[in-house]
Amino acid sequence: MTGKRRATTPPRRASLRMPSLPLVAGVAVLAVSAGGAVTASGAGATALANTSASLEASNALGSVAGQALARRGAVVSRDHTRAPVGEEVDPELVALAEKQMAERAAALAEVRQAAEKQAAKIKENKWVLPLASYGITATFGQYGLWASYHTGLDFNANSGDSIFSVANGTVTETGYDGAYGNKTVVTLDDGTEIWYCHQTSIHVSVGDRVNGGEVIGTVGATGNVTGSHLHLEVRPGGGDPVDPFQAFVEHGIVP
């Protein structure tokens, strides 16, 4: 009966590994130590020769290790921000880039200044309501009590209530005007006239400069009225009246 063949394990191949730098340096030190010990024992010329050979080997290994470490250090200390060797930067291109950056910064500064100036102008010329407390009793375009149609917006209020200029402007007319009663006209900076009618008293004079929110008179019942109220008209360019309600809405407020 034929016996089973036993599987044999192939012999392991010896792997060749290069000694590490610390190991090489250690071997060199041991060699130097051994040579020194032989010299101390007074073994003669043979010991001296062995010591010399050990020192040469140590120096050689030390040189190899030093070169390897130098190369390793050069890689670590390399600056990735440096331009490649031999590559030169064109000074004209640098100057052009700096000029373009300066021009862009100047343009942005101009835009910012213009925006700030416009915002300040809008804030300064922002319209305000002419009364602190009121009720709307008649709107623009209504028919009935008027000769043709109602040409303004009526704010019901008590006699003596303060009337505020709705925006910045110059007083161009004051006095009694028939059916309008005591009237003040303020011409805004854009030429729009604002008429304040039926006043009890007028607190400004022609030529006065007024700002939005400044008191220019008081509510009354002068002229053709059925009760105390402020009749306000808006006349762009001093021409025909337009709907004051729409004018207020366009300037950011709703009466």
Side-chain angles (χ1 to χ4, degrees), residues 5-139:
R5 299 181 63 183
R6 180 176 296 177
T8 59
T9 303
R12 295 181 180 179
R13 294 183 181 180
S15 58
L16 297 179
R17 296 182 179 179
M18 294 299 293
S20 63
L21 291 178
L23 180 59
V24 172
V27 173
V29 171
L30 289 176
V32 173
S33 300
V38 173
T39 302
S41 64
T46 302
L48 291 175
N50 290 338
T51 300
S52 178
S54 298
L55 289 173
E56 291 178 358
S58 177
N59 291 337
L61 291 173
S63 177
V64 172
Q67 292 176 7
L69 290 175
R71 288 194 300 270
R72 190 174 184 184
V75 172
V76 172
S77 64
R78 180 177 297 171
D79 189 351
H80 69 279
T81 62
R82 295 178 182 176
V85 178
E87 181 177 342
E88 296 182 356
V89 179
D90 190 341
E92 293 184 357
L93 293 178
V94 174
L96 178 60
E98 292 177 348
K99 180 181 178 181
Q100 290 177 346
M101 291 178 63
E103 291 176 350
R104 180 174 181 272
L108 290 175
E110 290 181 0
V111 172
R112 182 171 57 253
Q113 291 176 358
E116 292 175 352
K117 183 177 180 180
Q118 183 64 19
K121 183 177 180 180
I122 291 173
K123 183 178 180 180
E124 180 183 359
N125 295 327
K126 184 178 180 180
W127 283 31
V128 299
L129 291 171
L131 296 172
S133 178
Y134 61 89
I136 302 297
T137 56
T139 57

Side-chain angles (χ1 to χ4, degrees), residues 215-241:
V215 176
I216 60 173
T218 59
V219 174
T222 58
N224 187 9
V225 296
T226 58
S228 62
H229 71 280
L230 169 66
H231 173 85
L232 184 142
E233 294 188 6
V234 176
R235 295 174 175 259
D240 294 334

Side-chain angles (χ1 to χ4, degrees), residues 137-216:
T137 56
T139 57
F140 181 84
Q142 285 185 319
Y143 290 90
L145 299 176
W146 306 274
S148 56
Y149 66 93
H150 193 227
T151 55
L153 191 63
D154 284 355
F155 295 81
N156 183 36
N158 297 319
S159 292
D161 287 351
S162 295
I163 300 173
F164 309 111
S165 176
V166 300
N168 301 347
T170 302
V171 178
T172 53
E173 182 182 343
T174 61
Y176 191 85
D177 186 13
Y180 287 108
N182 292 326
K183 181 180 73 175
T184 298
V185 176
V186 176
T187 301
L188 307 185
D189 295 337
D190 63 359
T192 299
E193 291 183 357
I194 307 296
W195 290 15
Y196 306 85
C197 309
H198 309 310
Q199 296 176 245
T200 293
S201 60
I202 298 174
H203 293 174
V204 292
S205 303
V206 174
D208 288 349
R209 177 72 181 176
V210 296
N211 296 321
E214 183 176 340
V215 176
I216 60 173

